[in-house]
């Protein structure tokens, strides 16, 4: 991965759109918390309408899946040195413990390797820190050059 | 299977009706005997990429996860949906702004753990947009 500070400034401006302008991420209330080269942190609020287990009030794993997918995609964007579109190839999620009722979920992701065509990510979902993870994820993303960037914006994950 | 399949069908439908997340993403299903086809009717809110009008990978993933959980519930004696241990989603094609369908197969159902595969498609059954392979914890999460 080549670092390009000027390009990262551009990414920093553009990255929140990958969450804020994505309808599904919006519906779930996701927000981007932090961005560094190759790293991203996002938050999902606790929403009663996304409860997956009526007995306990625990939110559905699908929300964690969506958050980890989204934040992993953003970490790939944050690792780019030229604008490319990203598409998830695969995502594996391991569930360690249930999320706690009533608490926001934080997810952090890092893009740890990138070739011309594929990027590899790791991600963690938790309430407070990586010491007590709710779930971990590893993903791979296909990269495609975008003709005519920056005219073309609004890539999702 | 100790229960009658018709009873299980009813229990599954009742359970899904009472699950907020199933309602939130608009999960529907048609149950024919012991086989279920899940339907995710298209809605604007499940778009992941507005510029190419593709569904969000997280929506496709959650739909497959719920399909796998529902099919497993249908074939088991569990009182609630099984808890996922892990899952892998392969994204094969871009999911378009259209209805999404899915079916799941319980590959192995052990005493504690079940392995389930699921496939989602849109206009052509033979061209799946995503597949899921997952392990679930049985015994109602104990």
């Amino acid at each position: 991965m080549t670092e390009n500070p000027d390009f990262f400034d551009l990414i920093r401006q553009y990255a929140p759109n990958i969450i804020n302008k994505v309808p599904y991420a919006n519906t779930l209330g996701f927000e981007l918390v932090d961005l560094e080269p190759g790293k991203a942190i996002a938050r999902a609020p606790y929403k009663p309408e996304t409860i997956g287990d009526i007995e306990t009030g625990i939110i559905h794993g699908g929300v964690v899946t969506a958050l980890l997918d989204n934040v992993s995609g953003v970490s790939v964007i944050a690792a780019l040195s030229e604008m490319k579109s990203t598409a998830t190839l695969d995502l594996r999620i391991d569930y360690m413990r249930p999320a706690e009722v009533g608490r926001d979920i934080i997810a952090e992701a890092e893009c740890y390797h990138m070739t011309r065509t594929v990027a590899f990510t790791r991600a963690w979902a938790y309430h407070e820190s990586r010491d007590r993870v709710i779930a971990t994820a590893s993903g791979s993303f296909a990269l495609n050059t975008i003709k005519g960037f920056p005219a073309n914006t609004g890539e999702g994950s | 299977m100790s229960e009658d399949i018709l009873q299980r069908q009813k229990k599954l439908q009742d359970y899904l009706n009472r699950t907020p997340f199933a309602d939130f993403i608009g999960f529907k299903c048609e149950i024919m005997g012991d086989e279920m086809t899940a339907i995710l009717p298209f809605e604007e809110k499940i778009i992941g990429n507005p510029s190419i009008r593709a569904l969000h990978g997280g929506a496709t993933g959650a739909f497959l996860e719920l399909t796998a959980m529902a099919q497993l519930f249908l074939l088991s004696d569990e009182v609630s949906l099984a808890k996922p241990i892990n899952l892998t989603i392969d994204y094969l094609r871009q999911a378009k702004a259209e209805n999404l369908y899915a079916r799941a197969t319980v590959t192995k159902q052990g005493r504690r753990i079940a392995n389930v595969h699921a496939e989602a498609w849109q206009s052509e059954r033979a061209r799946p947009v995503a597949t899921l392979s997952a392990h679930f914890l049985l015994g109602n999460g104990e």
Side-chain angles (χ1 to χ4, degrees):
Chain A
M1 258 177 279
T2 48
E3 292 230 354
N4 178 344
D6 291 341
F7 185 72
F8 184 70
D9 280 343
L10 184 67
I11 292 292
R12 194 189 285 285
Q13 289 169 27
Y14 159 78
N17 292 350
I18 312 162
I19 290 188
N20 301 342
K21 292 198 176 160
V22 168
Y24 191 61
N26 252 329
T27 313
L28 291 168
F30 294 173
E31 68 180 303
L32 186 65
V33 175
D34 196 25
L35 194 74
E36 286 174 45
K39 285 183 185 170
I41 300 180
R43 178 194 290 120
Y46 180 81
K47 284 168 99 76
E49 57 267 43
T50 60
I51 289 172
D53 184 339
I54 33 185
E55 272 84 41
T56 59
I58 295 168
I59 65 164
H60 194 270
V63 178
V64 182
T65 305
L67 181 68
L68 288 167
D69 178 50
N70 221 143
V71 76
S72 299
V74 177
S75 79
V76 173
I77 301 282
L80 293 172
S81 50
E82 61 169 318
M83 206 40 166
K84 287 180 177 178
S85 73
T86 67
T88 318
L89 277 178
D90 68 47
L91 189 72
R92 179 197 162 104
I93 298 178
D94 289 286
Y95 293 99
M96 310 293 166
R97 57 168 60 79
E100 289 169 29
V101 176
R103 301 187 72 183
D104 293 357
I105 298 169
I106 309 290
E108 81 180 62
E110 64 181 41
C111 175
Y112 66 92
H113 185 74
M114 186 181 275
T115 70
R116 266 189 311 117
T117 49
V118 186
F120 301 89
T121 62
R122 279 189 277 260
W124 300 261
Y126 51 79
H127 292 304
E128 267 148 29
S129 77
R130 265 201 220 171
D131 297 338
R132 262 181 81 80
V133 286
I134 297 163
T136 61
S138 76
S140 61
F141 291 78
L143 303 173
N144 287 292
T145 307
I146 304 171
K147 289 191 186 104
F149 185 81
N152 182 5
T153 55
E155 296 307 303
S157 54
Chain B
M1 215 183 301
S2 59
E3 271 182 288
D4 183 59
I5 191 72
L6 292 172
Q7 267 186 316
R8 284 311 285 179
Q9 287 184 5
K10 190 178 174 312
K11 279 192 179 171
L12 173 60
Q13 204 63 65
D14 284 352
Y15 201 91
L16 289 170
N17 290 344
R18 289 185 296 131
T19 303
F21 187 72
D23 180 52
F24 179 80
I25 64 165
F27 184 90
K28 305 256 184 304
C29 63
E30 267 181 36
I31 310 168
M32 289 152 282
D34 62 357
E35 197 182 66
M36 183 199 73
T37 304
I39 304 143
L40 188 70
F42 172 72
E43 278 184 76
E44 274 311 307
K45 71 175 185 186
I46 58 170
I47 290 277
N49 186 332
S51 59
I52 58 166
R53 308 266 309 145
L55 300 192
H56 195 283
T60 307
F63 175 58
L64 279 168
E65 189 175 343
L66 209 47
T67 303
M69 289 161 96
Q71 181 67 55
L72 183 57
F73 183 89
L74 190 63
L75 300 181
S76 70
D77 294 329
E78 300 287 296
V79 296
S80 57
L81 297 184
K83 308 270 182 295
I85 298 167
N86 55 40
L87 54 92
T88 305
I89 305 156
D90 287 319
Y91 294 94
L92 308 173
R93 296 182 173 83
Q94 181 192 318
K96 291 172 272 185
E98 294 169 10
N99 289 359
L100 195 60
Y101 309 101
R103 262 183 221 160
T105 313
V106 178
T107 317
K108 154 107 200 262
Q109 191 181 326
R111 207 165 45 81
R112 305 281 296 161
I113 291 170
N115 180 279
V116 187
H117 285 255
E119 223 171 80
W121 71 94
Q122 292 186 307
S123 50
E124 278 180 81
R125 178 70 180 89
R127 292 170 63 83
V129 297
T131 61
L132 166 131
S133 165
H135 286 104
F136 291 93
L137 189 62
L138 297 168
N140 301 308
E142 278 158 39

